[in-house]
Amino acid sequence: MRRGPIPDDDDAVPKKGKVVTTKPPPILLDELIAEILLRIPARSLVPLRNSVCRSWRTLISSSQFAKDHLRRSMAVDPGLTHPLMAYYSQTYSYPIIGVFSVRSVMENPPHEPTKVVPYEGRRFRLIIGSCNGLLCLHDEERQDGFIISHRAMLWNPCTGFTSQPLEIGGLLCTCGFGYDHVNDKYKLFAILDNKSRMFTFGPKSTWRTIQDFSRNFRDGNYRGCQVNLVGLFVSGTGTLNWLFHRYLSFVWVLSLDLVKETFNQFSLPNRDSDDDHRVTPQLGILRDCLAVCYETKKTHWTVWLMKEYGVPQSWTKLAIIPHHPLLGRRPLSLQPIYMLKDVLLAIAPSGKFVLCNLNDGSIDIPNIDSSTDGMPKLGPLTRNVSARKFQLYHESLVSPFHFGLPSCSSEMRLIKPSL
């Protein structure tokens, strides 16, 4: 009897009474799974953390994975982290923080508005600063109309986790929040009781007195006007930065090294003698570098980047933006916020968000729909932003429990739009 070829298991055809055998699916090594997940944006990893399997939950929730993902998103693939803008009302005590996508603002066509997503807490909170996807919030606990405590908490809007509020002992005016990358510590600086103090977030968080902020860094015998009360954190340098300006004199930056907990100062680009020195410059961060914007010759603004942090000789001219009716003219310069390709998002002296195209010189007002932000007395964002305070941040998986803080997920609640 002739026999035909015996098929392989993979080629087996189901027949009546026959058992079909199949090969088990290939098993991916844990290292390969981790490498794949590191290439997924943070906002997409959050639902995967709770919906796939226990091993994925453990991996995505781990401190090391959060650090690796943050490092990759900042250094290798910026598309993994979405720049977002958070804001609160500085005029009325609304317990709400509004958030909108910066990339959407810069890429959407004029007829397609960027929607604001509101988050609600149990009380009014100020945003002290942002770092590695964490927002540091300050609130006041009141009883019978009286303030009984000042507290700080950390919140990651992407993961939804917040730390339990920590007592900080006073109102924060000159302050700042940032990351000590050498010691892997998140730190809050503030002047309390006329002393410079540092607060390290962790299981045993306490204030420590450090080098004095206000007395050792003056221009001659006169202290300049402090332009920004909240220090600007420059990622990769571990520093907080404050801008000082003195009429008919130069402008300088006071820098706090969060690793050494010491201060330094450096000058900004030289100004021409015919510049209007009454116009206050503005500090910002563009392309991960410290940036400053001056009004120049009463005809335009000049934006500079500090290519090598702390080295005044590295100031490089980035853009010249002519005066324009949409920008307005007050005793303030443009405040640089963010750059995408050759478009600069800024807050103009007129009190509006503006998009400045550095290629063709065009100026546009972005379409931001703030109708659902729960702050009805402030008016729409497209009209004026001066009644709000803004903080740029990037999404990440970093959570307070990674560095020993008790955390919960109920302090800031997403407000769903009504149907």
Side-chain angles (χ1 to χ4, degrees), residues 71-367:
R71 190 179 303 113
R72 183 178 183 86
S73 63
M74 299 301 288
V76 180
D77 187 2
L80 292 175
T81 178
H82 296 268
L84 299 171
M85 186 72 77
Y87 67 89
Y88 66 95
S89 166
Q90 64 174 348
T91 306
Y92 302 96
S93 298
Y94 292 114
I96 294 172
I97 291 176
V99 175
F100 61 86
S101 167
V102 172
R103 185 164 295 177
S104 172
V105 165
M106 304 184 78
E107 293 181 342
N108 277 1
H111 66 273
E112 186 178 337
T114 295
K115 296 283 188 179
V116 170
V117 178
Y119 292 83
E120 185 174 32
R122 286 185 281 185
R123 57 177 64 87
F124 169 67
R125 291 191 170 102
L126 295 78
I127 303 174
I128 297 173
S130 70
C131 174
N132 295 345
L134 294 173
L135 295 179
C136 183
L137 308 180
H138 170 269
D139 70 11
E140 300 169 351
E141 187 173 7
R142 295 175 178 265
Q143 186 174 1
D144 299 328
F146 295 95
I147 300 173
I148 60 174
S149 70
H150 294 270
R151 308 191 302 177
M153 58 178 282
L154 301 182
W155 172 45
N156 185 326
C158 181
T159 64
F161 287 112
T162 60
S163 66
Q164 293 182 359
L166 302 169
E167 177 65 39
I168 54 177
L171 178 64
L172 306 185
C173 291
T174 296
C175 59
F177 169 68
Y179 178 61
D180 170 357
H181 57 283
V182 173
N183 299 299
D184 191 23
K185 301 290 185 182
Y186 289 86
K187 295 181 176 181
L188 171 62
F189 166 81
I191 295 180
L192 289 172
D193 301 324
N194 295 320
K195 294 182 180 180
S196 298
R197 301 181 182 256
M198 190 71 75
F199 185 92
T200 301
F201 287 96
K204 298 180 180 179
S205 303
T206 56
W207 287 109
R208 289 173 291 102
T209 301
I210 64 169
Q211 183 182 4
D212 185 67
F213 175 90
S214 58
R215 297 180 182 177
N216 297 329
F217 300 94
R218 300 185 182 186
D219 173 25
N221 297 319
Y222 302 96
R223 182 184 178 188
C225 172
Q226 185 179 339
V227 177
N228 56 313
L229 293 178
V230 177
L232 204 60
F233 178 72
V234 181
S235 179
T237 69
T239 62
L240 293 171
N241 299 268
W242 292 266
L243 182 64
F244 284 81
H245 170 242
R246 201 177 73 185
Y247 176 55
L248 297 180
S249 184
F250 63 92
V251 183
W252 71 100
V253 170
L254 180 62
S255 169
L256 170 59
D257 187 324
L258 293 174
V259 178
K260 300 176 182 178
E261 299 187 353
T262 56
F263 290 96
N264 193 13
Q265 70 178 47
F266 51 81
S267 61
L268 274 75
N270 292 327
R271 307 183 72 177
D272 295 335
S273 58
D274 56 349
D275 289 349
D276 188 348
H277 291 264
R278 294 171 298 178
V279 179
T280 304
Q282 294 290 326
L283 204 62
I285 298 174
L286 299 175
R287 297 174 177 169
D288 296 326
C289 295
L290 197 66
V292 68
C293 182
Y294 290 139
E295 184 180 61
T296 307
K297 298 184 182 300
K298 304 178 184 179
T299 60
H300 60 274
W301 287 280
T302 305
V303 182
W304 299 78
L305 284 187
M306 191 174 225
K307 292 296 187 70
E308 186 176 351
Y309 180 80
V311 180
Q313 295 78 10
S314 71
W315 283 111
T316 304
K317 191 177 295 184
L318 174 68
I320 294 176
I321 303 171
H323 287 170
H324 188 283
L326 287 175
L327 301 179
R329 288 198 64 196
R330 294 181 183 179
L332 289 174
S333 297
L334 282 171
Q335 182 181 348
I337 300 294
Y338 187 75
M339 278 200 71
L340 183 62
K341 298 179 181 178
D342 292 317
V343 178
L344 171 68
L345 175 66
I347 297 178
S350 62
K352 295 181 179 180
F353 275 118
V354 292
L355 295 171
C356 306
N357 191 310
L358 305 185
N359 282 331
D360 59 19
S362 63
I363 304 293
D364 291 309
I365 304 296
N367 190 353

